[in-house]
PDB file of all heavy atoms in Angstrom:
ATOM      1  N   ASP E 354     244.301 272.257  73.235  1.00 94.00           N
ATOM      2  CA  ASP E 354     243.483 271.120  72.788  1.00 94.00           C
ATOM      3  C   ASP E 354     242.123 271.112  73.474  1.00 94.00           C
ATOM      4  O   ASP E 354     241.105 270.815  72.846  1.00 94.00           O
ATOM      5  CB  ASP E 354     244.200 269.797  73.036  1.00 94.00           C
ATOM      6  CG  ASP E 354     245.274 269.510  72.002  1.00 94.00           C
ATOM      7  OD1 ASP E 354     245.220 270.101  70.909  1.00 94.00           O
ATOM      8  OD2 ASP E 354     246.158 268.687  72.282  1.00 94.00           O
ATOM      9  N   ARG E 361     235.725 278.083  73.666  1.00 97.00           N
ATOM     10  CA  ARG E 361     236.338 279.092  74.536  1.00 97.00           C
ATOM     11  C   ARG E 361     235.641 279.194  75.888  1.00 97.00           C
ATOM     12  O   ARG E 361     236.280 279.214  76.931  1.00 97.00           O
ATOM     13  CB  ARG E 361     236.323 280.446  73.833  1.00 97.00           C
ATOM     14  CG  ARG E 361     236.840 281.580  74.706  1.00 97.00           C
ATOM     15  CD  ARG E 361     236.803 282.913  74.007  1.00 97.00           C
ATOM     16  NE  ARG E 361     237.649 282.830  72.828  1.00 97.00           N
ATOM     17  CZ  ARG E 361     237.284 283.298  71.634  1.00 97.00           C
ATOM     18  NH1 ARG E 361     236.127 283.889  71.464  1.00 97.00           N
ATOM     19  NH2 ARG E 361     238.099 283.197  70.615  1.00 97.00           N
ATOM     20  N   LEU E 388     250.415 275.065 106.517  1.00 77.00           N
ATOM     21  CA  LEU E 388     251.366 275.383 105.452  1.00 77.00           C
ATOM     22  C   LEU E 388     251.234 276.749 104.780  1.00 77.00           C
ATOM     23  O   LEU E 388     252.036 277.076 103.937  1.00 77.00           O
ATOM     24  CB  LEU E 388     251.299 274.310 104.341  1.00 77.00           C
ATOM     25  CG  LEU E 388     251.647 272.893 104.738  1.00 77.00           C
ATOM     26  CD1 LEU E 388     251.405 271.958 103.551  1.00 77.00           C
ATOM     27  CD2 LEU E 388     253.081 272.782 105.207  1.00 77.00           C
ATOM     28  N   TYR E 403     247.076 273.528  86.768  1.00 94.00           N
ATOM     29  CA  TYR E 403     246.908 272.137  87.194  1.00 94.00           C
ATOM     30  C   TYR E 403     245.478 271.647  86.989  1.00 94.00           C
ATOM     31  O   TYR E 403     245.267 270.450  86.758  1.00 94.00           O
ATOM     32  CB  TYR E 403     247.414 271.934  88.618  1.00 94.00           C
ATOM     33  CG  TYR E 403     248.925 271.876  88.609  1.00 94.00           C
ATOM     34  CD1 TYR E 403     249.689 272.962  88.984  1.00 94.00           C
ATOM     35  CD2 TYR E 403     249.575 270.737  88.141  1.00 94.00           C
ATOM     36  CE1 TYR E 403     251.073 272.922  88.913  1.00 94.00           C
ATOM     37  CE2 TYR E 403     250.951 270.690  88.067  1.00 94.00           C
ATOM     38  CZ  TYR E 403     251.700 271.775  88.457  1.00 94.00           C
ATOM     39  OH  TYR E 403     253.069 271.739  88.366  1.00 94.00           O
ATOM     40  N   GLY E 414     244.016 261.161  78.113  1.00 87.00           N
ATOM     41  CA  GLY E 414     244.949 260.363  78.911  1.00 87.00           C
ATOM     42  C   GLY E 414     245.765 259.348  78.147  1.00 87.00           C
ATOM     43  O   GLY E 414     246.900 259.048  78.510  1.00 87.00           O
ATOM     44  N   GLY E 434     250.886 263.190  85.782  1.00 86.00           N
ATOM     45  CA  GLY E 434     251.251 262.724  87.120  1.00 86.00           C
ATOM     46  C   GLY E 434     252.672 263.098  87.485  1.00 86.00           C
ATOM     47  O   GLY E 434     252.950 263.535  88.607  1.00 86.00           O
TER      48      GLY E 434
END
Side-chain angles (χ1 to χ4, degrees):
D354 282 340
R361 175 181 299 135
L388 299 175
Y403 283 101

